Amino acid sequence: MNRSTSVQVLRALTYVGVYGGLLMPLVFIPTVIFPFVFSKLIAFQVLIGVTFPAYLLLAWMEPEMRPRGHRLYFAIFAYFVAIATSVAFAVDPYRAWWGNQERMNGLFTLLHFFAWLTMTTSLLKTWDDWKRLLNYQVVLSGFMAIVAILQRAIPNLLLFEVQGPRVGGLLDNPIYMGAYQIFNLFFLALLALHTKSRRLWLWYGMIAIVDIGAFINAQSRGALVGLTIGIITFFLFVGIFSKQKKVRFATAGALLALVAGYGTLFAMRDYLIETRSVLARFVDVKATVATRLNAWNIAWEGFKERPLTGWGFDNYHILFNLKYPAETLRFGAYETWFDRAHNTVMDVLSMTGLFGLITFIAVFAVLYHSLWRAFRAGWLDVRFAAVLAALPLAYFVQNLFVFDHPAGFSMSYLLFALVIAATTEGFMKNTPPATEGERHGFPLTFATLLYVAALVLVWRTSVIPFRASQFALMSNAAYGTQQGLAWAEEANKRWTPYLDEQTFLNSRNLVQALSTGVYEKLYQPQRWVDLTLALNAEHFARHPNDTHARFLYARFLQELSRVKPEYAAQSEQEYLRAMQSSPERQQVFYGLASLYLRFGKVEEAMNLYDKVIALDPELGEPIWIKGAILFADLQRPADGAPEVLRAVTVAYPYQLRNTQEAGLLVEAAVVRPKEEAMKAIEKTFSKEIAGEDDAFFVKAASRFEQSGMPEVRDKVLELAAVRRPDVHRAYSLFKETGAATTTIPVATPPAPSTTKPVATTTPSRGPRR
């Protein structure tokens, strides 16, 4: 193969890498765990692993294909140096380098985006080059938008039933879809403002309509704020720097229309919220921000402790667990396991320190400096410059409410590549910059070695982990069977940096099997136990500070102690280790207390509940659990009743989950003074209780009457009548039967609130989202 042919082949492969990289958000392979993230980024890693070596060979042979000496490219490189430094000094360097399967945000993955950026900026240098790429991208965005919109009509379009009115399409997360479409709406504007073709205008308009439809149905408030700031920036830039008065008046009118439009929606917010319109979230500003502020404060406190290089890239979860304040549980168990600060700036500050923050801010500072320089030099017209001024700011602002993600990375690096090209002289005139350097022939020996190394790397770091995830998922679907065990062992044979998911699935499934009494029905249960023990040992050797995994492991050992009591001591030690890495996390205290109760250590268990209550005296959940245990389990109603009633009357009261728990409350109330009983009933019975019916309220009212509390009886019937108009008639009929006694089913103490993953549910038949 001669030199000319070699260059053509290498150039073609490089184009495959550039254009193929934008297909990454569309990838969805449902045979792995977290298919909406993991399958996308594994596919991207394979693509870059195969095509980037071709680019390196092309750059060796052709000087014009070598990386540009653009200041923005160097600023991004400096940011990567800061990230690498944070990895070297990370609390958990393994996690900082590889990330985890759910996020895939380790430095290893980000280096593939930097490689893609290098290929793109070296290959595409003129506006004609970029028009082709951007036209291709907006078509992809239209397809993504159509899939998301279809989810409204077909909730299980992508295997997973969409919960609620928000949709994320092939990105799954509505927040990701909102951020993705911000970029594409500005790319559409850029293309439309630089064409005179009516046919193209029609196409751009149609794509914009579906993209806006997907954006609205994503209902992401952070994305809306970012898009709004971007649009305002665009109009202000055009209005200030345009030399045409008509354009200035038009931009002023557009800004007024934007303000008036949103003002109208905000004025109608009560109606929109009441009718559950898709626009409701954009005007509902009452959503709590307490958990986000808490996460940001933890990031700040972490920065003060490790100000230079931070806690390590992708290590925020370690910091959050260590600094976790007990008040977090006030907003539900779901809000207690954060692995990001939900603010990119605070993430960068806490995970990469000052070095990371300075270089991160420098990327945007250099971007705007380059843009201003190109605009003042006349290299860009006002419309082009306005779009490039607006889009980075929109992206930056929306990232103040969320964290970056695969689709966000693909779009942001596309933006950076476009800015590097557009702020170079000759871009709009389609005149590539002059290049200097020596041309070389095709290095056959080096190329062979390079591709062998690249393919080995791809196989080792992408293909094998992908197969391990497939086997783990298949094992999860067939858990407990001979085939399920074989697949689990196959998964364990394959090296993967993402062992946390195998650990999680096996531990969770054994917790369920042991707690529901089906352990002995598993195929060779001891082999399942041995595998799970080995997986956890390997995982903690890599990640000793993983609180969530250690908590789940302690739960597994606790359940294992049902059939093998010798594991109780090890379970206790794992709970204590989890407490060290998250000293105020209530779930860990709950778990250890339940272990103590199982082995008759009542005093130790009650001391733990007292400690949890002292961490946040205004939180009802731990008070309720303690009271329920005292009242129902330990048969000490005098001690348990006041705790049960107090749990539902504190500032953040325990929410009754069913009529059995309401029955426990009634039984506790009848042994307490009337004033305490009345207050508790008013607080709880005024809200709907799952499973409530006329019979329950009738029995509750009768119980209070038998206990000499007619005022409380009347209050029960009064509150019930609001939702059940026939309750008074039902009570009268009940009294006519002459029933002498009334019993109400009483709930056993509830399982402590844990996390969504730890819940002992049936093993999923589908991939984890």
Side-chain angles (χ1 to χ4, degrees):
M1 188 166 58
N2 59 36
R3 184 182 187 281
S4 176
T5 304
S6 300
V7 169
Q8 291 178 4
V9 171
L10 295 173
R11 187 187 295 269
L13 283 172
T14 306
Y15 268 110
V16 168
V18 170
Y19 277 76
L22 296 179
L23 287 171
M24 181 266 288
L26 282 70
V27 174
F28 172 63
I29 305 174
T31 60
V32 294
I33 304 167
F34 296 118
F36 291 102
V37 174
F38 185 64
S39 67
K40 295 180 192 302
L41 288 172
I42 287 294
F44 185 69
Q45 289 176 7
V46 172
L47 175 72
I48 300 303
V50 172
T51 58
F52 188 63
Y55 163 73
L56 293 177
L57 295 171
L58 182 63
W60 166 258
M61 297 175 69
E62 295 291 336
E64 62 269 20
M65 290 293 106
R66 293 166 193 168
R68 297 191 189 185
H70 195 284
R71 54 174 59 88
L72 179 55
Y73 183 82
F74 289 135
I76 296 170
F77 179 78
Y79 177 53
F80 270 81
V81 171
I83 294 176
T85 304
S86 78
V87 171
F89 293 97
V91 176
D92 185 345
Y94 199 100
R95 171 75 177 254
W97 173 253
W98 292 109
N100 71 338
Q101 192 166 345
E102 182 180 6
R103 304 289 188 204
M104 294 288 287
N105 271 0
L107 178 56
F108 178 75
T109 298
L110 260 64
L111 287 172
H112 289 76
F113 285 101
F114 188 75
W116 184 87
L117 172 75
T118 303
M119 289 194 294
T120 306
T121 56
S122 301
L123 197 63
L124 308 181
K125 301 179 180 180
T126 66
W127 176 224
D128 282 346
D129 293 335
W130 274 93
K131 276 193 293 188
R132 286 189 288 271
L133 186 68
L134 292 178
N135 275 303
Y136 166 77
Q137 170 54 38
V138 297
V139 170
L140 296 180
S141 78
F143 176 79
M144 294 279 286
I146 290 170
V147 172
I149 293 170
L150 284 175
Q151 278 189 306
R152 291 299 302 272
I154 313 173
N156 60 350
L157 178 67
L158 299 173
L159 300 184
F160 300 102
E161 184 110 12
V162 174
Q163 303 296 322
R166 303 176 67 193
V167 295
L170 285 164
L171 301 180
D172 187 48
N173 192 323
I175 295 174
Y176 297 173
M177 177 57 68
Y180 178 76
Q181 294 300 356
I182 287 177
F183 286 92
N184 291 292
L185 290 170
F186 277 104
F187 291 148
L188 281 164
L190 182 62
L191 291 167
L193 290 171
H194 289 85
T195 184
K196 296 180 181 179
S197 170
R198 292 184 178 181
R199 181 176 61 84
L200 286 177
W201 264 89
L202 176 62
W203 275 106
Y204 295 150
M206 292 172 61
I207 296 173
I209 289 171
V210 295
D211 282 357
I212 291 171
F215 183 88
I216 291 174
N217 281 284
Q219 301 181 38
S220 173
R221 283 180 286 235
L224 176 67
V225 173
L227 180 62
T228 302
I229 294 296
I231 292 173
I232 292 172
T233 302
F234 173 83
F235 284 127
L236 286 175
F237 194 100
V238 172
I240 293 172
F241 295 107
S242 176
K243 297 179 181 179
Q244 301 179 24
K245 289 185 178 181
K246 291 182 179 180
V247 174
R248 292 182 181 179
F249 283 121
T251 55
L255 279 173
L256 289 174
L258 180 68
V259 173
Y262 185 77
T264 301
L265 289 177
F266 192 78
M268 298 171 58
R269 64 188 181 278
D270 292 336
Y271 170 77
L272 294 174
I273 293 170
E274 182 180 348
T275 59
R276 298 184 179 180
S277 165
V278 295
L279 299 174
R281 277 182 56 84
F282 295 132
V283 292
D284 182 9
V285 296
K286 297 179 182 179
T288 180
V289 295
T291 54
R292 298 297 185 267
L293 293 175
N294 175 48
W296 299 351
N297 180 64
I298 288 175
W300 174 250
E301 293 299 320
F303 161 71
K304 291 193 295 185
E305 289 188 15
R306 297 173 67 99
L308 295 181
T309 60
W311 287 70
F313 199 59
D314 207 36
N315 275 203
Y316 178 80
H317 66 293
I318 297 174
L319 167 62
F320 180 83
N321 286 325
L322 187 63
K323 301 291 184 181
Y324 167 90
E327 292 82 3
T328 306
L329 191 58
R330 293 176 175 181
F331 308 100
Y334 183 79
E335 297 287 348
T336 63
W337 298 98
F338 274 41
D339 63 353
R340 288 292 186 278
H342 289 263
N343 179 308
T344 299
V345 173
M346 297 307 295
D347 274 334
V348 170
L349 184 67
S350 61
M351 294 192 296
T352 63
L354 274 177
F355 293 160
L357 182 67
I358 291 171
T359 53
F360 177 77
I361 298 298
V363 169
F364 289 89
V366 170
L367 183 153
Y368 279 106
H369 179 267
S370 300
L371 177 62
W372 180 248
R373 177 173 171 268
F375 176 64
R376 291 300 298 269
W379 300 346
L380 297 175
D381 60 42
V382 67
R383 294 166 298 174
F384 207 119
V387 171
L388 293 189
L391 181 50
L393 186 59
Y395 167 63
F396 184 88
V397 169
Q398 74 92 30
N399 264 0
L400 295 178
F401 304 96
V402 294
F403 47 84
D404 244 325
H405 47 89
F409 283 131
S410 69
M411 291 297 95
S412 61
Y413 282 91
L414 177 63
L415 169 64
F416 294 149
L418 174 59
V419 172
I420 289 172
T423 55
T424 303
E425 186 177 5
F427 173 77
M428 294 295 292
K429 297 178 180 178
N430 291 306
T431 304
T435 58
E436 297 180 358
E438 183 181 355
R439 281 178 166 79
H440 301 283
F442 181 71
L444 179 59
T445 302
F446 175 73
T448 302
L449 294 173
L450 178 63
Y451 256 99
V452 168
L455 292 176
V456 169
L457 182 66
V458 166
W459 182 263
R460 178 70 172 167
T461 62
S462 298
V463 177
I464 292 179
F466 184 86
R467 289 294 290 156
S469 184
Q470 286 184 311
F471 278 116
L473 186 62
M474 290 189 296
S475 171
N476 184 60
Y479 191 79
T481 67
Q482 181 179 0
Q483 184 61 73
L485 180 59
W487 280 331
E489 291 174 341
E490 281 296 319
N492 189 42
K493 289 176 184 177
R494 287 162 171 77
W495 177 86
T496 174
Y498 314 111
L499 199 62
D500 50 326
E501 290 309 313
Q502 291 185 49
T503 304
F504 162 76
L505 291 174
N506 282 282
S507 295
R508 181 202 66 177
N509 291 338
L510 272 175
V511 166
Q512 182 203 4
L514 288 159
S515 62
T516 56
V518 300
Y519 170 75
E520 297 297 340
K521 297 179 182 179
L522 301 180
Y523 176 78
Q524 296 192 10
Q526 187 58 49
R527 283 174 63 185
W528 286 105
V529 169
D530 292 342
L531 174 64
T532 304
L533 292 171
L535 284 169
N536 277 281
E538 185 176 355
H539 178 74
F540 291 126
R542 297 177 181 179
H543 309 289
N545 297 297
D546 188 343
T547 302
H548 182 270
R550 199 171 290 281
F551 167 54
L552 178 54
Y553 185 47
R555 282 280 309 278
F556 156 61
L557 293 171
Q558 177 180 342
E559 296 303 326
L560 185 60
S561 68
R562 292 175 182 268
V563 294
K564 298 178 182 296
E566 63 269 21
Y567 282 99
Q570 188 178 347
S571 174
E572 179 183 21
Q573 290 305 310
E574 293 300 329
Y575 277 126
L576 293 174
R577 290 191 182 101
M579 284 183 186
Q580 291 175 357
S581 60
S582 192
E584 294 191 15
R585 185 169 292 283
Q586 294 97 328
Q587 295 98 323
V588 181
F589 283 84
Y590 294 160
L592 182 55
S594 65
L595 176 70
Y596 285 156
L597 286 172
R598 178 176 298 170
F599 289 92
K601 299 180 177 181
V602 176
E603 184 176 351
E604 290 90 336
M606 291 301 106
N607 287 339
L608 284 174
Y609 280 116
D610 287 338
K611 288 180 181 179
V612 175
I613 294 169
L615 290 173
D616 185 6
E618 297 302 317
L619 180 63
E621 181 181 89
I623 303 173
W624 174 273
I625 295 174
K626 177 187 176 184
I629 291 171
L630 289 169
F631 194 99
D633 270 14
L634 302 180
Q635 297 296 306
R636 290 162 52 183
D639 296 327
E643 300 295 334
V644 169
L645 268 58
R646 183 162 69 99
V648 299
T649 55
V650 292
Y652 295 88
Y654 180 76
Q655 304 296 324
L656 300 180
R657 299 184 297 184
N658 49 52
T659 54
Q660 286 73 33
E661 290 190 342
L664 173 62
L665 177 68
V666 170
E667 293 302 323
V670 299
V671 301
R672 297 298 298 167
K674 179 182 66 177
E675 294 75 14
E676 287 186 33
M678 183 71 79
K679 183 179 179 181
I681 291 299
E682 287 179 337
K683 275 279 214 175
T684 55
F685 279 43
S686 60
K687 302 173 185 177
E688 187 171 352
I689 303 169
E692 68 177 36
D693 56 14
D694 289 349
F696 166 75
F697 289 114
V698 166
K699 291 178 181 179
S702 180
R703 186 76 176 90
F704 282 116
E705 181 176 342
Q706 294 167 7
S707 302
M709 296 181 172
E711 299 91 341
V712 184
R713 173 205 62 195
D714 294 342
K715 178 59 67 174
V716 168
L717 295 174
E718 174 191 336
L719 295 173
V722 175
R723 301 187 298 277
R724 315 199 67 83
D726 292 335
V727 71
H728 283 287
R729 185 167 62 88
Y731 183 71
S732 298
L733 291 173
F734 179 80
K735 295 295 293 180
E736 289 174 4
T737 66
T741 60
T742 304
T743 59
I744 303 177
V746 175
T748 56
S753 80
T754 53
T755 65
K756 188 175 180 181
V758 176
T760 55
T761 56
T762 301
S764 171
R765 290 288 174 183
R768 288 189 68 204
R769 300 176 71 176

